[in-house]
Amino acid sequence: MKIKLFTLGLLLVMFAACSSKDDAAQPKPSGYFRIELPKHQYNKFDTTALPFTFDYAKCAECTVDRKSDTATWVLVHYPKQNARIEMLYKTAADSNGLTQLMLADKDFVEFHYQKASGVVTHDFRELGAKADVSGLFYDISGKDVACPFHYWMTDQQHNFVRATLYFHFTPNNDSVQPVIDYIRDDAMRMVKTFEWR
């Protein structure tokens, strides 16, 4: 009988020790990794191959890729963030050609509506662009959108540039929002310093 009481007492002590609320395992709150971003500093993009200049981030690499006589890509690559702004420069023969480029760009943005939770459009005049640079800047919000922002600009004569931010992975835009905001600040600097030659 003493052995049974001793065993029962030992089981009660073990049960009480295991059910302590202070030592119970607690799940960790969900969160995202910390993203360290460099201070904003800029270089000037200036090449005789293209009729425009602008400022771009020092932490980015800027390259030119000429595809044809009427289409040239300017790639602003952020290697540490695994992202890049892809800028396409095209020329048009007349105002009808520019209108067609603008309509094609509108279709491009509307394609993203299916994944977007919201699209906010800003005219370049609101953003402080130079007087001879007109265009639209689109902030495209949503967890699964492929490009969080997109913009186009023109001199309203022959030149047209469109630019889009892409990540080289399938982004969860909630987790990379600090990077999106950081690169958006750089894009705003591009818009404000963009000049036609």
Side-chain angles (χ1 to χ4, degrees), residues 110-133:
E110 286 177 356
F111 175 76
H112 290 82
Y113 285 2
Q114 57 192 324
K115 295 277 187 178
S117 59
V119 176
V120 178
T121 306
H122 309 276
D123 187 274
F124 269 32
R125 305 276 182 251
E126 305 169 13
L127 302 176
K130 306 267 191 242
D132 62 341
V133 180

mmCIF file of all heavy atoms in Angstrom, residues 110-133:
data_model
loop_
_atom_site.group_PDB
_atom_site.id
_atom_site.type_symbol
_atom_site.label_atom_id
_atom_site.label_comp_id
_atom_site.label_asym_id
_atom_site.label_seq_id
_atom_site.Cartn_x
_atom_site.Cartn_y
_atom_site.Cartn_z
ATOM 1 N N GLU A 110 -3.348 47.886 -66.720
ATOM 2 C CA GLU A 110 -4.653 47.263 -66.479
ATOM 3 C C GLU A 110 -4.541 45.748 -66.341
ATOM 4 O O GLU A 110 -5.331 45.121 -65.645
ATOM 5 C CB GLU A 110 -5.634 47.635 -67.590
ATOM 6 C CG GLU A 110 -6.101 49.075 -67.473
ATOM 7 C CD GLU A 110 -7.027 49.503 -68.597
ATOM 8 O OE1 GLU A 110 -7.266 48.713 -69.549
ATOM 9 O OE2 GLU A 110 -7.508 50.650 -68.527
ATOM 10 N N PHE A 111 -3.543 45.143 -66.973
ATOM 11 C CA PHE A 111 -3.313 43.708 -66.826
ATOM 12 C C PHE A 111 -3.043 43.349 -65.359
ATOM 13 O O PHE A 111 -3.396 42.265 -64.904
ATOM 14 C CB PHE A 111 -2.138 43.278 -67.707
ATOM 15 C CG PHE A 111 -1.750 41.843 -67.531
ATOM 16 C CD1 PHE A 111 -2.520 40.836 -68.090
ATOM 17 C CD2 PHE A 111 -0.617 41.501 -66.803
ATOM 18 C CE1 PHE A 111 -2.175 39.506 -67.924
ATOM 19 C CE2 PHE A 111 -0.264 40.181 -66.632
ATOM 20 C CZ PHE A 111 -1.034 39.176 -67.195
ATOM 21 N N HIS A 112 -2.427 44.264 -64.613
ATOM 22 C CA HIS A 112 -2.100 44.002 -63.207
ATOM 23 C C HIS A 112 -3.292 44.201 -62.272
ATOM 24 O O HIS A 112 -3.207 43.877 -61.094
ATOM 25 C CB HIS A 112 -0.923 44.883 -62.780
ATOM 26 C CG HIS A 112 0.359 44.472 -63.419
ATOM 27 N ND1 HIS A 112 0.710 44.859 -64.682
ATOM 28 C CD2 HIS A 112 1.353 43.668 -62.984
ATOM 29 C CE1 HIS A 112 1.875 44.327 -64.988
ATOM 30 N NE2 HIS A 112 2.286 43.606 -63.986
ATOM 31 N N TYR A 113 -4.391 44.737 -62.773
ATOM 32 C CA TYR A 113 -5.567 44.967 -61.926
ATOM 33 C C TYR A 113 -6.094 43.681 -61.303
ATOM 34 O O TYR A 113 -6.632 43.699 -60.205
ATOM 35 C CB TYR A 113 -6.696 45.620 -62.726
ATOM 36 C CG TYR A 113 -6.505 47.092 -63.037
ATOM 37 C CD1 TYR A 113 -5.365 47.785 -62.669
ATOM 38 C CD2 TYR A 113 -7.479 47.789 -63.717
ATOM 39 C CE1 TYR A 113 -5.198 49.124 -62.972
ATOM 40 C CE2 TYR A 113 -7.330 49.144 -64.016
ATOM 41 C CZ TYR A 113 -6.182 49.797 -63.640
ATOM 42 O OH TYR A 113 -6.026 51.121 -63.931
ATOM 43 N N GLN A 114 -5.948 42.541 -61.995
ATOM 44 C CA GLN A 114 -6.496 41.292 -61.480
ATOM 45 C C GLN A 114 -5.842 40.857 -60.167
ATOM 46 O O GLN A 114 -6.466 40.175 -59.366
ATOM 47 C CB GLN A 114 -6.399 40.197 -62.531
ATOM 48 C CG GLN A 114 -4.987 39.935 -63.038
ATOM 49 C CD GLN A 114 -4.977 39.056 -64.258
ATOM 50 O OE1 GLN A 114 -5.782 38.163 -64.377
ATOM 51 N NE2 GLN A 114 -4.061 39.316 -65.185
ATOM 52 N N LYS A 115 -4.595 41.241 -59.927
ATOM 53 C CA LYS A 115 -3.904 40.895 -58.676
ATOM 54 C C LYS A 115 -3.832 42.061 -57.701
ATOM 55 O O LYS A 115 -3.538 41.884 -56.537
ATOM 56 C CB LYS A 115 -2.478 40.435 -58.978
ATOM 57 C CG LYS A 115 -2.378 39.168 -59.767
ATOM 58 C CD LYS A 115 -2.499 37.986 -58.880
ATOM 59 C CE LYS A 115 -2.228 36.716 -59.677
ATOM 60 N NZ LYS A 115 -2.290 35.550 -58.865
ATOM 61 N N ALA A 116 -4.099 43.268 -58.184
ATOM 62 C CA ALA A 116 -3.924 44.465 -57.356
ATOM 63 C C ALA A 116 -5.096 44.679 -56.414
ATOM 64 O O ALA A 116 -6.236 44.391 -56.743
ATOM 65 C CB ALA A 116 -3.756 45.687 -58.249
ATOM 66 N N SER A 117 -4.777 45.188 -55.232
ATOM 67 C CA SER A 117 -5.835 45.599 -54.303
ATOM 68 C C SER A 117 -6.131 47.089 -54.467
ATOM 69 O O SER A 117 -7.134 47.575 -53.968
ATOM 70 C CB SER A 117 -5.432 45.289 -52.863
ATOM 71 O OG SER A 117 -4.238 45.960 -52.522
ATOM 72 N N GLY A 118 -5.257 47.793 -55.189
ATOM 73 C CA GLY A 118 -5.482 49.209 -55.459
ATOM 74 C C GLY A 118 -4.417 49.773 -56.378
ATOM 75 O O GLY A 118 -3.279 49.298 -56.391
ATOM 76 N N VAL A 119 -4.801 50.765 -57.176
ATOM 77 C CA VAL A 119 -3.865 51.447 -58.064
ATOM 78 C C VAL A 119 -4.085 52.942 -57.881
ATOM 79 O O VAL A 119 -5.208 53.432 -58.010
ATOM 80 C CB VAL A 119 -4.089 51.057 -59.546
ATOM 81 C CG1 VAL A 119 -3.158 51.851 -60.452
ATOM 82 C CG2 VAL A 119 -3.903 49.567 -59.753
ATOM 83 N N VAL A 120 -3.006 53.657 -57.560
ATOM 84 C CA VAL A 120 -3.074 55.108 -57.404
ATOM 85 C C VAL A 120 -2.212 55.720 -58.493
ATOM 86 O O VAL A 120 -1.049 55.338 -58.672
ATOM 87 C CB VAL A 120 -2.580 55.546 -56.007
ATOM 88 C CG1 VAL A 120 -2.616 57.062 -55.889
ATOM 89 C CG2 VAL A 120 -3.400 54.894 -54.912
ATOM 90 N N THR A 121 -2.784 56.655 -59.238
ATOM 91 C CA THR A 121 -2.096 57.296 -60.358
ATOM 92 C C THR A 121 -1.699 58.716 -59.978
ATOM 93 O O THR A 121 -2.498 59.451 -59.408
ATOM 94 C CB THR A 121 -3.016 57.335 -61.595
ATOM 95 O OG1 THR A 121 -3.477 56.023 -61.868
ATOM 96 C CG2 THR A 121 -2.287 57.877 -62.798
ATOM 97 N N HIS A 122 -0.445 59.079 -60.287
ATOM 98 C CA HIS A 122 0.067 60.428 -60.021
ATOM 99 C C HIS A 122 0.536 61.038 -61.330
ATOM 100 O O HIS A 122 1.279 60.400 -62.082
ATOM 101 C CB HIS A 122 1.253 60.393 -59.056
ATOM 102 C CG HIS A 122 1.016 59.613 -57.811
ATOM 103 N ND1 HIS A 122 0.387 60.145 -56.717
ATOM 104 C CD2 HIS A 122 1.318 58.342 -57.488
ATOM 105 C CE1 HIS A 122 0.322 59.226 -55.765
ATOM 106 N NE2 HIS A 122 0.879 58.125 -56.221
ATOM 107 N N ASP A 123 0.136 62.258 -61.586
ATOM 108 C CA ASP A 123 0.640 62.993 -62.741
ATOM 109 C C ASP A 123 2.034 63.516 -62.405
ATOM 110 O O ASP A 123 2.299 63.900 -61.261
ATOM 111 C CB ASP A 123 -0.301 64.158 -63.072
ATOM 112 C CG ASP A 123 0.089 64.847 -64.352
ATOM 113 O OD1 ASP A 123 0.959 65.749 -64.287
ATOM 114 O OD2 ASP A 123 -0.459 64.485 -65.414
ATOM 115 N N PHE A 124 2.923 63.546 -63.385
ATOM 116 C CA PHE A 124 4.293 63.996 -63.140
ATOM 117 C C PHE A 124 4.356 65.436 -62.647
ATOM 118 O O PHE A 124 5.289 65.805 -61.949
ATOM 119 C CB PHE A 124 5.135 63.845 -64.412
ATOM 120 C CG PHE A 124 5.823 62.513 -64.506
ATOM 121 C CD1 PHE A 124 5.264 61.366 -63.980
ATOM 122 C CD2 PHE A 124 7.045 62.406 -65.130
ATOM 123 C CE1 PHE A 124 5.895 60.149 -64.072
ATOM 124 C CE2 PHE A 124 7.693 61.187 -65.234
ATOM 125 C CZ PHE A 124 7.115 60.061 -64.698
ATOM 126 N N ARG A 125 3.398 66.259 -62.996
ATOM 127 C CA ARG A 125 3.380 67.650 -62.521
ATOM 128 C C ARG A 125 3.282 67.681 -60.990
ATOM 129 O O ARG A 125 3.920 68.503 -60.347
ATOM 130 C CB ARG A 125 2.211 68.425 -63.124
ATOM 131 C CG ARG A 125 2.158 68.411 -64.629
ATOM 132 C CD ARG A 125 3.049 69.486 -65.248
ATOM 133 N NE ARG A 125 2.933 69.456 -66.688
ATOM 134 C CZ ARG A 125 3.896 69.038 -67.493
ATOM 135 N NH1 ARG A 125 5.022 68.613 -67.013
ATOM 136 N NH2 ARG A 125 3.731 69.043 -68.800
ATOM 137 N N GLU A 126 2.463 66.758 -60.425
ATOM 138 C CA GLU A 126 2.328 66.675 -58.954
ATOM 139 C C GLU A 126 3.636 66.246 -58.304
ATOM 140 O O GLU A 126 3.896 66.593 -57.152
ATOM 141 C CB GLU A 126 1.291 65.610 -58.553
ATOM 142 C CG GLU A 126 -0.069 65.707 -59.121
ATOM 143 C CD GLU A 126 -0.872 64.428 -58.836
ATOM 144 O OE1 GLU A 126 -0.469 63.598 -58.011
ATOM 145 O OE2 GLU A 126 -1.915 64.274 -59.469
ATOM 146 N N LEU A 127 4.426 65.452 -59.016
ATOM 147 C CA LEU A 127 5.628 64.856 -58.436
ATOM 148 C C LEU A 127 6.852 65.749 -58.536
ATOM 149 O O LEU A 127 7.911 65.394 -58.038
ATOM 150 C CB LEU A 127 5.913 63.506 -59.111
ATOM 151 C CG LEU A 127 4.796 62.473 -59.010
ATOM 152 C CD1 LEU A 127 5.150 61.222 -59.801
ATOM 153 C CD2 LEU A 127 4.492 62.121 -57.565
ATOM 154 N N GLY A 128 6.734 66.885 -59.211
ATOM 155 C CA GLY A 128 7.858 67.816 -59.301
ATOM 156 C C GLY A 128 8.794 67.554 -60.463
ATOM 157 O O GLY A 128 9.972 67.923 -60.405
ATOM 158 N N ALA A 129 8.288 66.928 -61.531
ATOM 159 C CA ALA A 129 9.119 66.680 -62.710
ATOM 160 C C ALA A 129 9.399 67.996 -63.438
ATOM 161 O O ALA A 129 8.705 68.988 -63.250
ATOM 162 C CB ALA A 129 8.426 65.688 -63.639
ATOM 163 N N LYS A 130 10.415 67.980 -64.280
ATOM 164 C CA LYS A 130 10.748 69.157 -65.080
ATOM 165 C C LYS A 130 9.589 69.491 -66.028
ATOM 166 O O LYS A 130 8.783 68.632 -66.378
ATOM 167 C CB LYS A 130 12.002 68.889 -65.905
ATOM 168 C CG LYS A 130 13.177 68.417 -65.085
ATOM 169 C CD LYS A 130 14.052 69.547 -64.673
ATOM 170 C CE LYS A 130 15.353 69.042 -64.087
ATOM 171 N NZ LYS A 130 15.601 69.391 -62.746
ATOM 172 N N ALA A 131 9.510 70.721 -66.477
ATOM 173 C CA ALA A 131 8.374 71.203 -67.274
ATOM 174 C C ALA A 131 8.207 70.457 -68.592
ATOM 175 O O ALA A 131 7.094 70.253 -69.058
ATOM 176 C CB ALA A 131 8.524 72.696 -67.535
ATOM 177 N N ASP A 132 9.318 70.021 -69.206
ATOM 178 C CA ASP A 132 9.206 69.356 -70.509
ATOM 179 C C ASP A 132 9.062 67.836 -70.399
ATOM 180 O O ASP A 132 9.130 67.125 -71.392
ATOM 181 C CB ASP A 132 10.400 69.710 -71.392
ATOM 182 C CG ASP A 132 11.717 69.234 -70.807
ATOM 183 O OD1 ASP A 132 11.770 68.955 -69.590
ATOM 184 O OD2 ASP A 132 12.699 69.127 -71.559
ATOM 185 N N VAL A 133 8.873 67.332 -69.180
ATOM 186 C CA VAL A 133 8.695 65.891 -68.950
ATOM 187 C C VAL A 133 7.276 65.671 -68.449
ATOM 188 O O VAL A 133 6.901 66.150 -67.385
ATOM 189 C CB VAL A 133 9.704 65.353 -67.908
ATOM 190 C CG1 VAL A 133 9.507 63.863 -67.687
ATOM 191 C CG2 VAL A 133 11.129 65.650 -68.323
#
